[in-house]
Amino acid sequence: MMTRREFLQVLAAAAATGFALDSKSALAGKAPPGYYDVPAFGNCSLMHITDCHAQLLPIYFREPNVNLGVGEAVGKVPHLVGDHLLKHYNIPKNSIDAHAFTYLDFEAASRTYGKVGGFAHLKTLVDKVRSSRPGSLLLDGGDTWQGSATALWTNAQDMVDACIALGVNVMTPHWEMTYGAQRVQEIVNNDFKKAGVDFVAQNVVTNDFGDQVFKPYVMKNINGVQVAIIGQAFPYTPIANPRYMVPDWSFGIRDDSMQKFVDEARAKGAAVVVVLSHNGMDVDLKMASRVTGIDAIFGGHTHDGVPQPVEVKNAKGVTLVTNAGSNGKFLGVLDFDVQGGKVKGWKYRLLPVFSNLLAADAGMEALIKKIRAPYEDKLNEKLAVTEGVLYRRGNFNGTYDQMICDALMKVKGADAAFSPGFRWGTSLLSGDVITMERLMDQVAITYPATTLNEMTGKTIHTIMEDVCDNLFNADPYYQQGGDMVRVGGIQYTIDPNKTIGKRITNMEIRGKKIDPNKTYKVAGWAPVGEGVTGAPIWDVVAEYLRDTKVIKPVKLNQPNVLGMKGNPGMA
């Protein structure tokens, strides 16, 4: 229940930003008329979630204001932010969808429409869609078992149980692998097998003989239509995450084997072939242009909330490429009309999940309460209060990452700090309490050690150039990681259009030009090498927060970006 004082605060915040409150019904917990009415179409329906990062409860999540495309991707989906995205998809400004798909007026809109996601609310929406689409399947694009305290503390069991209860039918992985090969196999061969959940990944094979580790695809019958769902795990898992966790498995994009399995599925009678992918959208777009016979790619990894599929032409037809956001915030629904063994038409909706507008499913709510019960006191520990919005997502930096860098430098006594360019992590509004749970949303990984290393200026530059190339290589097949490494104490200029070794210039540490030969103390966390020890990142940041108590609005350490004037991927 919203108090009168809270309601007036919402009005004041909205007025201050010029945000038009067009939905009193949202404040009252009612959906705008027909908002979740999705008329059934055709005879073959697939639902899609991805990158929920273990968020069982509703959260705030700010979309990026920097999502740059380079090379052929400049100005194209998914590299559109803010007003550019609204214009491209004809979404009205100051609307509920403008809030769902962009960062615009984030705080005022968040106070208006409330939190997003939450598995109890997502369950209600999944069941609503299913009720009008008998036989429809729910696909999970991965990054599901990691990203929260309870997922880490239960060794992913909370998310396994929740996904089974949600009704997931088919899944492919990425961060799941950071629990280790043995744990992944244990879940696939026990929990999932018992529940009838298929775990597919055509591009994961053994190092020795190249045997498939998991089923490459699964055939399903939807209302008499044969549908093949091919799995595509994140190709660079052993690079972006520790190899020692999956020592016997090889990953990769593997276009050739993808084509082989598409052809095989067609030969077995598949009228519809889809790929459940964790490539990232730019990689999916390239794959769709090279591999023929795929009707649609349900994409993940890059957390892009894309309202409508991109239609990619290839040598034998057209492939739809979608991406369904993150954090349980969206449910994708793709309907095919299949006649005579061929797709004759399709319709797609990417439905935002607003917890104020969808009743909580009682069964899922009870399961979540049971999962959380042993940990509630620890989760709810109050560490500090934030006076500004804290968020992560964006190519270069976010206020939450900046705070983590500040904590690393202060607690570890460093000249500078690196924080990984992870895309997962929830957001907080000004005045919110930073609890242990909200901290763990940013740092809950199985290799959390913090480090303090001595590095020369030359080494610092080399590391940053390397990470930069992972993000801005003009060929999507060489983009191997998340966003740019976040930095504390370091100022620099970047030109994403340059080549490796030439993108980053004018580097300074604490206002002084970096000397290539001088040694600096650099703090960091999440080392991918085996055997690295150090205090867990959550202990370091929690110490900083407890001491600081009130986090003033964080000043972002943003680089000077060249060559991007007018780029619609940068606000």
Side-chain angles (χ1 to χ4, degrees):
M1 179 71 70
M2 180 176 281
T3 66
R4 181 176 181 275
R5 180 172 179 271
E6 289 170 332
F7 181 74
L8 291 174
Q9 286 177 332
V10 168
L11 292 178
T17 63
F19 186 82
L21 289 180
D22 66 352
S23 186
K24 292 179 182 177
S25 60
L27 288 168
K30 297 177 182 177
Y35 190 68
Y36 287 116
D37 291 343
V38 187
F41 172 82
N43 54 352
C44 176
S45 298
L46 297 162
M47 294 178 284
H48 178 222
I49 59 170
T50 191
D51 297 274
C52 73
H53 283 287
Q55 293 302 324
L56 289 175
L57 294 180
I59 48 89
Y60 294 117
F61 181 75
R62 180 187 183 275
E63 297 295 333
N65 63 319
V66 184
N67 185 0
L68 292 171
V70 294
E72 295 181 1
V74 174
K76 295 180 181 178
V77 176
H79 303 287
L80 304 172
V81 300
D83 289 324
H84 298 288
L85 185 146
L86 299 184
K87 184 178 179 180
H88 184 83
Y89 290 107
N90 198 29
I91 297 173
K93 288 186 176 183
N94 300 331
S95 66
I96 191 169
D97 281 344
H99 174 46
F101 291 103
T102 75
Y103 70 92
L104 297 169
D105 301 305
F106 171 71
E107 185 164 21
S110 294
R111 296 191 190 280
T112 301
Y113 295 113
K115 293 182 178 181
V116 294
F119 262 49
H121 308 276
L122 178 61
K123 172 67 171 170
T124 296
L125 183 57
V126 166
D127 288 353
K128 177 179 172 63
V129 172
R130 270 199 164 129
S131 68
S132 63
R133 291 164 172 79
S136 59
L137 300 176
L138 177 59
L139 313 182
D140 178 353
D143 279 9
T144 304
W145 305 348
Q146 177 277 334
S148 74
T150 56
L152 183 68
W153 297 339
T154 64
N155 206 20
Q157 194 64 47
D158 67 332
M159 295 310 302
V160 172
D161 294 343
C163 286
I164 290 170
L166 186 64
V168 169
N169 300 105
V170 188
M171 181 183 182
T172 202
H174 170 206
W175 271 89
E176 286 69 23
M177 297 299 177
T178 62
Y179 288 96
Q182 183 178 345
R183 177 60 175 148
V184 172
Q185 292 282 38
E186 181 180 56
I187 292 168
V188 171
N189 295 328
N190 294 287
D191 304 73
F192 275 13
K193 187 175 182 180
K194 183 178 178 181
V197 180
D198 291 294
F199 195 87
V200 292
Q202 73 87 18
N203 60 326
V204 183
V205 299
T206 58
N207 287 334
D208 49 9
F209 298 112
D211 296 329
Q212 297 294 146
V213 176
F214 307 101
K215 287 184 288 190
Y217 66 95
V218 63
M219 297 280 281
K220 298 285 187 178
N221 188 303
I222 303 178
N223 302 320
V225 177
Q226 285 289 100
V227 180
I229 301 158
I230 305 174
Q232 178 79 359
F234 180 54
Y236 297 109
T237 296
I239 296 173
N241 308 105
R243 164 157 284 290
Y244 64 83
M245 294 177 170
V246 284
D248 301 321
W249 299 346
S250 174
F251 292 70
I253 295 172
R254 304 190 192 279
D255 278 351
D256 291 345
S257 60
M258 176 64 77
Q259 186 68 68
K260 181 187 80 170
F261 290 123
V262 172
D263 295 344
E264 183 179 302
R266 291 288 185 190
K268 289 182 177 179
V272 175
V273 176
V274 301
V275 173
L276 180 57
S277 167
H278 206 89
N279 278 333
M281 191 159 183
D282 285 339
V283 178
D284 284 335
L285 290 167
K286 181 172 178 177
M287 175 176 276
S289 73
R290 291 161 61 94
V291 179
T292 61
I294 301 170
D295 293 298
I297 298 178
F298 292 90
H301 180 61
T302 37
H303 294 198
D304 301 305
V306 179
Q308 285 295 316
V310 176
E311 298 180 64
V312 179
K313 293 181 180 179
N314 54 53
K316 294 185 180 179
V318 174
T319 298
L320 307 176
V321 177
T322 75
N323 206 288
S326 66
N327 287 279
K329 185 178 175 180
F330 296 103
L331 176 69
V333 183
L334 180 57
D335 297 325
F336 287 111
D337 181 26
V338 184
Q339 304 295 334
K342 294 186 177 181
V343 174
K344 298 297 184 181
W346 60 272
K347 287 189 177 180
Y348 182 81
R349 282 283 302 275
L350 186 58
L351 297 166
V353 181
F354 284 100
S355 58
N356 277 356
L357 308 183
L358 291 160
D361 176 83
M364 183 67 80
E365 196 169 42
L367 174 61
I368 294 170
K369 188 174 182 180
K370 180 182 177 182
I371 287 168
R372 293 173 57 84
Y375 310 104
E376 285 288 0
D377 289 346
K378 195 173 178 181
L379 292 169
N380 293 324
E381 181 192 353
K382 178 180 175 180
L383 301 174
V385 174
T386 179
E387 290 188 348
V389 173
L390 292 178
Y391 65 91
R392 167 168 280 171
R393 184 73 174 94
N395 279 167
F396 298 115
N397 215 340
T399 49
Y400 219 127
D401 282 310
Q402 194 66 61
M403 186 188 74
I404 290 172
C405 287
D406 292 345
L408 281 166
M409 288 189 293
K410 183 171 183 180
V411 175
K412 306 286 279 189
D415 301 309
F418 286 151
S419 187
F422 295 146
R423 290 189 175 99
W424 46 272
T426 60
S427 304
L428 290 174
L429 307 184
S430 58
D432 281 353
V433 173
I434 306 173
T435 60
M436 179 59 77
E437 179 168 26
R438 295 286 80 91
L439 168 58
M440 292 299 287
D441 287 352
Q442 316 293 322
V443 297
I445 64 174
T446 56
Y447 49 107
T450 54
T451 58
L452 182 64
N453 294 307
E454 291 193 346
M455 297 183 185
T456 64
K458 183 179 180 181
T459 299
I460 293 170
H461 180 261
T462 300
I463 289 171
M464 292 180 64
E465 282 279 5
D466 208 30
V467 177
C468 190
D469 194 58
N470 285 342
L471 177 62
F472 293 120
N473 194 299
D475 185 343
Y477 278 22
Y478 289 94
Q479 294 171 6
Q480 300 174 356
D483 284 315
M484 184 61 185
V485 64
R486 281 65 167 106
V487 296
I490 300 173
Q491 295 79 42
Y492 64 101
T493 297
I494 182 171
D495 187 340
N497 291 315
K498 300 283 189 182
T499 55
I500 188 167
K502 300 177 181 177
R503 291 188 179 96
I504 294 175
T505 56
N506 301 328
M507 293 183 68
E508 297 180 346
I509 285 187
R510 298 186 183 275
K512 294 184 179 180
K513 185 177 180 180
I514 287 183
D515 183 341
N517 301 311
K518 184 178 177 180
T519 298
Y520 302 89
K521 290 182 179 179
V522 181
W525 66 285
V528 296
E530 191 169 6
V532 180
T533 59
I537 182 64
W538 47 79
D539 284 352
V540 171
V541 180
E543 177 184 334
Y544 173 81
L545 291 172
R546 292 186 190 107
D547 289 345
T548 308
K549 295 183 174 58
V550 176
I551 302 300
K552 302 291 183 183
V554 176
K555 183 180 179 182
L556 274 184
N557 190 356
Q558 292 278 56
N560 176 31
V561 183
L562 303 179
M564 291 290 151
K565 187 176 182 180
N567 189 306
M570 187 170 186

